[in-house]
Amino acid sequence: QRWIRQGMDGGAIALTDAPEIVRAFFEEIERTPPWFDAAQALPGCRAFHRNSEMFVGAFVAAVLIEGFSTLISQSFSITGRLVDQGARRLKQNNRQLVEIFMPGGLDRHGDGWKLSVRIRLVHARVRQLLDRAEEWDAAAWGHPLSAAHMAFATAAFSGLLLKRAAMLGVSLSEEESRSFMLVWRYAGHLMGVPSDLLFESEAEAVHLHRIGALCEPPPTLESIILANGLINSAPIVAGIAEPGPRRQLSRKIYRISRAMIGDDLADKLQYPAMRTTGTLAALRLTNGLERVLYRIAPALGARRRASQFQTMLNVSLYA
């Protein structure tokens, strides 16, 4: 832990007493790949913060749910994190979104850079523990939290997230979409995705995610518990304590989530039965009207974005 802290803050040069493998790790991870340009990441950062409410909504109601419907749920079960700390897990995921899309967040000493590298190290430790666990069926499932799993996850958090956010009315320019993907491509690199599995475009990421999804079995009981726990944790993360309003918000999220992921997956995850006709159309209309209003009244739009940013911090793990 001391060497990791020293490496995060001072790089390989601060690790004179560390094992060679630790120094080599930081020497390698500090080399910025030639395809990453921090200036080209800025349009994606601005687009994310302009639409942060919808991006976080798509992330929680669809992308994370679709991720937890895979065998990743087994790792949570084996490590004892299946039913506890649902709100904490949601905040942790939200925090990475916040950090990597902060301007300069992926600079060498930025919090997005450090958090992405720490996620890689945490995954390595969990992989080591799962490899020793009798419950992990390596013959059937392969290595836990492998590079392929990380590629699948970053494809979901990038290309699939753009696709799901568009369902809520988020509209990005071609430059903003490329920039958004660049941010996640570099974050994926930092989290250990090998170059031959790193997407270069939104279309490549969606295709990679589709291939990964084909390799997955139907959702298991662990997937069902995780997905429903995530939705029911969202009101707690939002600071809603009263049972009635909590149930009301959970039901709203269930409806939006079902509309986004489709009835087939929702039924497999044992969502409550409900009709979703017009759900996404209403959200797109509301978001479109808000964009028009904020163009007419820029000051109101600025206050709205500031409020969104504060909300995003409130639903992210910073304590």
Side-chain angles (χ1 to χ4, degrees):
Q1 288 297 320
R2 177 175 62 85
W3 288 325
I4 290 173
R5 286 194 298 271
Q6 289 176 193
M8 288 290 184
D9 294 334
I13 196 172
L15 295 169
T16 55
D17 64 334
E20 173 60 28
I21 193 171
V22 178
R23 294 197 301 273
F25 173 79
F26 280 100
E27 287 173 356
E28 174 63 27
I29 202 69
E30 286 184 323
R31 297 192 188 106
T32 303
W35 46 260
F36 180 72
D37 183 341
Q40 292 181 7
L42 291 177
C45 294
R46 288 192 290 267
F48 172 79
H49 288 285
R50 188 176 68 246
N51 300 281
S52 61
E53 188 173 63
M54 291 299 103
F55 272 120
V56 172
F59 192 58
V60 173
V63 175
L64 283 180
I65 296 294
E66 290 169 287
F68 287 151
S69 69
T70 69
L71 282 173
I72 189 66
S73 59
Q74 298 297 325
S75 66
F76 287 104
S77 175
I78 294 169
T79 56
R81 299 301 187 199
L82 191 61
V83 296
D84 67 331
Q85 299 185 347
R88 180 180 178 86
R89 188 179 309 122
L90 179 53
K91 286 187 173 185
Q92 287 173 330
N93 284 299
N94 288 345
R95 180 174 179 177
Q96 189 184 17
L97 274 178
V98 174
E99 297 291 13
I100 66 175
F101 281 102
M102 288 293 289
L106 287 175
D107 291 349
R108 166 58 185 89
H109 294 286
D111 287 338
W113 190 97
K114 292 181 178 180
L115 182 57
S116 297
V117 175
R118 285 190 179 278
I119 288 172
R120 178 176 180 172
L121 295 172
V122 168
H123 284 163
R125 179 56 173 156
V126 174
R127 184 183 309 116
Q128 182 185 46
L129 294 173
L130 290 176
D131 266 333
R132 300 172 181 171
E134 293 181 1
E135 302 94 328
W136 185 266
D137 187 352
W141 303 335
H143 286 292
L145 299 178
S146 66
H149 291 138
M150 293 304 99
F152 179 75
T154 52
F157 295 166
S158 56
L160 185 64
L161 179 56
L162 282 179
K163 182 178 179 180
R164 297 302 183 222
M167 295 173 73
L168 298 179
V170 174
S171 178
L172 271 59
S173 69
E174 186 176 336
E175 179 191 30
E176 289 171 337
S177 295
R178 285 198 307 268
S179 179
F180 185 94
M181 296 302 299
L182 179 65
V183 170
W184 265 116
R185 189 182 184 201
Y186 189 36
H189 165 77
L190 294 173
M191 289 192 293
V193 179
S195 58
D196 56 349
L197 286 177
L198 268 178
F199 47 81
E200 293 187 15
S201 66
E202 179 183 350
E204 282 189 17
V206 171
H207 181 62
L208 178 62
H209 180 270
R210 186 181 302 115
I211 291 173
L214 290 172
C215 299
E216 290 290 330
T220 62
L221 175 61
E222 291 81 5
S223 297
I224 294 168
I225 295 172
L226 267 177
N228 287 275
L230 180 69
I231 290 179
N232 285 290
S233 293
I236 301 173
V237 172
I240 299 174
E242 293 297 321
R246 276 177 56 183
R247 285 193 296 270
Q248 186 176 8
L249 180 55
S250 290
R251 188 164 180 82
K252 179 180 179 180
I253 297 172
Y254 270 122
R255 189 180 303 279
I256 295 171
S257 181
R258 177 180 277 275
M260 295 179 77
I261 69 175
D263 286 332
D264 182 58
L265 179 55
D267 289 342
K268 289 176 181 176
L269 293 173
Q270 297 186 16
Y271 275 26
M274 55 181 61
R275 301 179 68 176
T276 61
T277 304
T279 298
L280 298 182
L283 286 170
R284 289 192 293 270
L285 176 61
T286 300
N287 292 332
L289 291 174
E290 283 188 353
R291 284 195 298 272
V292 173
L293 175 62
Y294 297 152
R295 282 198 294 269
I296 296 172
L300 181 62
R303 286 197 296 272
R304 171 62 171 159
R305 286 191 293 273
S307 174
Q308 282 190 160
F309 184 72
Q310 183 59 56
T311 299
M312 190 168 56
L313 294 180
N314 291 341
V315 299
S316 303
L317 188 64
Y318 281 93

